Amino acid sequence: MASTLVTCIGLLSTQAEMGEVHDAALVIDGDRIAWVGRSGSAPPTDGRVDVQGRAVLPGFVDSHAHLVFAGDRAGEFAARMSGSAYSAGGIRSTVAATRSASDEALRANVSRLVHELIRSGSTTFEIKSGYGLTTQDEERSLRIAAEFTPETTYLGAHVVPPEYADNAAGYVDLVTGEMLEACAPHARWVDVFCDRGAFDADQARAILSAGIGAGLAPRVHANQLQHGPGVQVAVEVGAASADHCTHLDDRDVAALADSSTVATLLPGAEFSTRSPYPDARRLIDAGVTVALATDCNPGSSYTTSMPFCIAVAVREMRMTPAEAIRAATRGGAAALRREDIGRIEVGGRADLVVLDAPDPVHLAYRPGVDLIHQVWRSGALARKADHREP
Amino acid sequence: MASTLVTCIGLLSTQAEMGEVHDAALVIDGDRIAWVGRSGSAPPTDGRVDVQGRAVLPGFVDSHAHLVFAGDRAGEFAARMSGSAYSAGGIRSTVAATRSASDEALRANVSRLVHELIRSGSTTFEIKSGYGLTTQDEERSLRIAAEFTPETTYLGAHVVPPEYADNAAGYVDLVTGEMLEACAPHARWVDVFCDRGAFDADQARAILSAGIGAGLAPRVHANQLQHGPGVQVAVEVGAASADHCTHLDDRDVAALADSSTVATLLPGAEFSTRSPYPDARRLIDAGVTVALATDCNPGSSYTTSMPFCIAVAVREMRMTPAEAIRAATRGGAAALRREDIGRIEVGGRADLVVLDAPDPVHLAYRPGVDLIHQVWRSGALARKADHREP
């Protein structure tokens, strides 16, 4: 390959750096990157691919996606666009559809969405449970998720299901007990929706602690719907990521800046719920590591497109194109505590996006346009360019 | 075909109606629709295509696109996203690149963008000149445009080119004289950018009148950058469309409502210039016919995606999904004064989009996702579904 490489490495003293190498080449050996540099000094290799001046960047890392569900909520969306507000309660309608779906139906839906994700350039993606909310349905959600990704997240604590409406404490006991035991073998992460209409700080602490005790690493849905304790709880337990971060005060920003917790911003959710966007500028200027992810789910953000999230982040969250691209690659990798992805580096995974554009800025400059020319995943071509020929 | 058909016909007393027919079928004969109705009563035909419950809607009509140009302005975009304001002056850098490009380079660029348009569901598109601004360069722009569409628009009056910087009157003479004479044989429409930094009301009237005299039908770039006389001039000359309509007063809205001039809204431009959006709600509530179009151009809106424009129109301009879909189909047809497109009707052109979704609301509900399963143009398959298979 020879073109402009966006390595997402380099000095990286600032999140504004993409680490661009012009007239560049890289060598893939198996599933890894074996060499990166100027094309003039590339070692001889078999099977050269000339990308003809197209920009090459790391595959996107979508660190927040809810893909195991059945049904859709197009009607709820249309009503919201006519003025209804978004609330966490809508999750329950997807829970009902998910519980009554067969394993095959759930698997087919995940497969369809994973196909969309990869086609739009995401080479790593996290998948959460959270629409089962019984031991059996959470366990099967994670079992199915694990067929598609190692980045599986146990989100039994998405909302309190209807059958526990008057007994939230009983549901927390289930989530931290029998359900956790059944789910932990299929999960890497534990997550909790700590927000209005979902779980409070004490419940969140109990759920995360139990998950950590079962060998899972914590991440938190925090401060989406209103200001609350989510970010503080996330930092307190050493979560890899606090996700949403829409409503923050100075204490939250300072706590994130002093921690290794990434702020994962999900502009698709604000777009599709017509909510105010998180202030990425404030977080970046304070030194917080920022990630972008899709939040793909049928209620509040039914997109699989990281390019769309990049374009909206630049338009609405005052990120520069370079910051948004870093947040969608290296930022996502940090949110998953992964060192082998989200950058183009010798020894790293050969996960690459080849753009039908000379400059990665086109991801924000050409919103809504399918600019993905090729996707390479672990050194293999996962999306070919042939669909683009007239 | 059998599924949910969005006909964009029916009572249509309101722009909120999509004219949906469930469990529907249609018959194509040559390039026309020969029959539409419930699948149970469809006449027998050869070559049945079962779209398996997918939604079918009229092909999008993109009534405003600037596709004949060379180069891009990604650097200007990135600077704007870091705080610079958009001005009409940037057009001049594209003029310089366009003038020095070969016919082949310009044709290849139009072809690439037309391919994107069709892949994203647009079956009719307008193409303007306006980056040549000499008699020879405007003439060749329109000659190339006419190879791709009958909806060609002479926009010699895009901005005053640098060589006429001190002689705007001389440039208006050229645009209404020799340049018009050379361009009229290749154009259906005449357009003028009536705004700050471009042309004033008297100049706009002179340019539109001359175009009308040469057999062209008028349309106007109006009220994009600030409130001005553009909409009034458009209504006064009986323009098919006043495009942008971002800054309107009550008189403008009333004039549009009392006329046959369509208000064509271009949310891609506001998205990519970080400008306030036009108030579609106010226009629709006043009874103005609204169209949506991409405004595809390398300066202020480098998107070819009508689905993206629909999603942004719903999010930002308070259109319902049904209104946005109508504006992107039947609205665009009205802006081009076409009766044969933008709806699914017996005798109309067989221009159809088959969505990978059961409901057209998904166009707004799933932003950034490539939902186009098939595109039919004049009865022929213009985009196949095979790219979607894993």
Side-chain angles (χ1 to χ4, degrees), chain B residues 262-276:
Chain B
V262 172
T264 299
L265 310 184
L266 307 164
E270 280 81 28
F271 187 91
S272 292
T273 60
R274 218 183 254 147
S275 303

Side-chain angles (χ1 to χ4, degrees), chain B residues 100-117:
Chain B
S100 58
S102 67
D103 285 14
E104 289 62 40
L106 292 179
R107 187 177 287 115
N109 204 37
V110 177
S111 178
R112 174 180 69 90
L113 295 168
V114 163
H115 179 58
E116 286 184 8
L117 276 164

Side-chain angles (χ1 to χ4, degrees), chain A residues 72-73 115-116 119 270-271 274-275 277 298 302-303 314-315 318 362 365-367 387-388 390, chain B residues 72-73 81 115-116 119 270-271 274-275 277 298 302-303 314-315 318 362 365-367 387-388 390:
Chain A
D72 72 47
R73 279 147 65 193
H115 180 58
E116 286 183 10
R119 278 185 57 78
E270 281 80 29
F271 187 92
R274 218 183 252 150
S275 304
Y277 289 92
Y302 201 2
T303 185
V314 169
R315 168 55 158 87
R318 306 244 162 211
H362 283 234
Y365 173 47
R366 305 213 59 209
H387 71 286
R388 294 193 65 85
Chain B
D72 72 48
R73 280 147 65 193
M81 291 301 111
H115 179 58
E116 286 184 8
R119 279 186 57 79
E270 280 81 28
F271 187 91
R274 218 183 254 147
S275 303
Y277 289 91
Y302 201 2
T303 186
V314 170
R315 168 54 159 88
R318 307 239 162 215
H362 282 234
Y365 173 47
R366 306 211 59 208
H387 71 286
R388 294 193 65 84

Side-chain angles (χ1 to χ4, degrees), chain A:
Chain A
M1 295 193 174
S3 81
T4 296
L5 276 184
V6 174
T7 60
C8 291
I9 57 171
L11 287 181
L12 297 176
S13 55
T14 154
Q15 294 183 65
E17 292 282 336
M18 289 195 290
E20 286 184 74
V21 182
H22 297 283
D23 188 22
L26 64 81
V27 177
I28 295 173
D29 186 8
D31 64 350
R32 298 285 159 164
I33 294 167
W35 186 91
V36 181
R38 298 295 289 267
S39 58
S41 48
T45 54
D46 300 333
R48 283 175 71 91
V49 176
D50 184 351
V51 300
Q52 300 182 297
R54 292 181 174 91
V56 177
L57 59 160
F60 303 122
V61 178
D62 186 357
S63 61
H64 187 135
H66 306 251
L67 305 187
V68 191
F69 63 86
D72 72 47
R73 279 147 65 193
E76 179 190 313
F77 172 82
R80 190 162 65 237
M81 291 303 110
S82 305
S84 318
Y86 178 73
S87 77
I91 292 169
R92 293 189 186 99
S93 75
T94 297
V95 169
T98 303
R99 286 178 178 175
S100 58
S102 67
D103 285 14
E104 289 60 41
L106 292 179
R107 187 176 287 115
N109 205 37
V110 177
S111 179
R112 174 179 71 87
L113 295 169
V114 163
H115 180 58
E116 286 183 10
L117 276 164
I118 294 172
R119 278 185 57 78
S120 55
S122 293
T123 48
T124 302
F125 39 84
E126 183 253 22
I127 304 181
K128 300 178 194 297
S129 69
Y131 293 116
L133 310 188
T134 66
T135 296
Q136 184 194 322
D137 287 307
E138 287 293 297
E139 190 272 343
R140 73 165 176 153
S141 295
L142 284 162
R143 195 166 21 84
I144 291 168
E147 297 171 15
F148 295 89
T149 182
E151 303 295 345
T152 52
T153 299
Y154 169 47
L155 182 59
H158 199 185
V159 288
V160 174
E163 62 274 19
Y164 282 89
D166 300 322
N167 181 17
Y171 187 63
V172 172
D173 286 347
L174 178 65
V175 167
T176 56
E178 172 195 295
M179 190 189 282
L180 172 63
E181 203 175 326
C183 289
H186 308 294
R188 180 176 176 214
W189 302 96
V190 59
D191 193 351
V192 56
F193 189 7
C194 181
D195 218 318
R196 180 183 68 209
F199 298 90
D200 67 21
D202 288 340
Q203 293 169 329
R205 281 190 195 97
I207 289 157
L208 295 168
S209 301
I212 293 167
L216 307 181
R219 48 201 315 109
V220 180
H221 277 69
N223 303 51
Q224 175 187 6
L225 303 177
Q226 66 182 20
H227 184 260
V231 164
Q232 296 296 337
V233 169
V235 170
E236 192 182 301
V237 301
S241 178
D243 296 44
H244 286 290
C245 292
T246 310
H247 300 278
L248 302 183
D249 65 16
D250 289 346
R251 244 183 88 238
D252 298 323
V253 175
L256 287 165
D258 287 342
S259 74
S260 64
T261 300
V262 172
T264 300
L265 309 183
L266 307 164
E270 281 80 29
F271 187 92
S272 291
T273 60
R274 218 183 252 150
S275 304
Y277 289 92
D279 189 345
R281 189 76 270 130
R282 179 187 184 196
L283 288 163
I284 291 170
D285 290 347
V288 177
T289 300
V290 168
L292 286 173
T294 63
D295 193 17
C296 181
N297 79 81
S300 58
S301 181
Y302 201 2
T303 185
T304 44
S305 173
M306 288 292 276
F308 174 75
C309 294
I310 289 169
V312 174
V314 169
R315 168 55 158 87
E316 301 293 351
M317 289 157 49
R318 306 244 162 211
M319 297 177 85
T320 65
E323 287 167 343
I325 288 164
R326 258 188 71 100
T329 52
R330 192 164 171 139
L336 293 174
R337 298 250 161 112
R338 291 275 297 268
E339 299 279 331
D340 59 330
I341 56 174
R343 68 204 78 180
I344 294 178
E345 190 174 42
V346 171
R349 201 165 281 276
D351 288 352
L352 304 166
V353 168
V354 183
L355 287 188
D356 236 327
D359 187 319
V361 166
H362 283 234
L363 286 165
Y365 173 47
R366 305 213 59 209
V369 179
D370 176 12
L371 289 178
I372 310 296
H373 179 72
Q374 292 175 338
V375 178
W376 295 76
R377 216 172 157 224
S378 293
L381 203 52
R383 175 176 173 177
K384 279 187 249 177
D386 55 358
H387 71 286
R388 294 193 65 85
E389 300 315 310

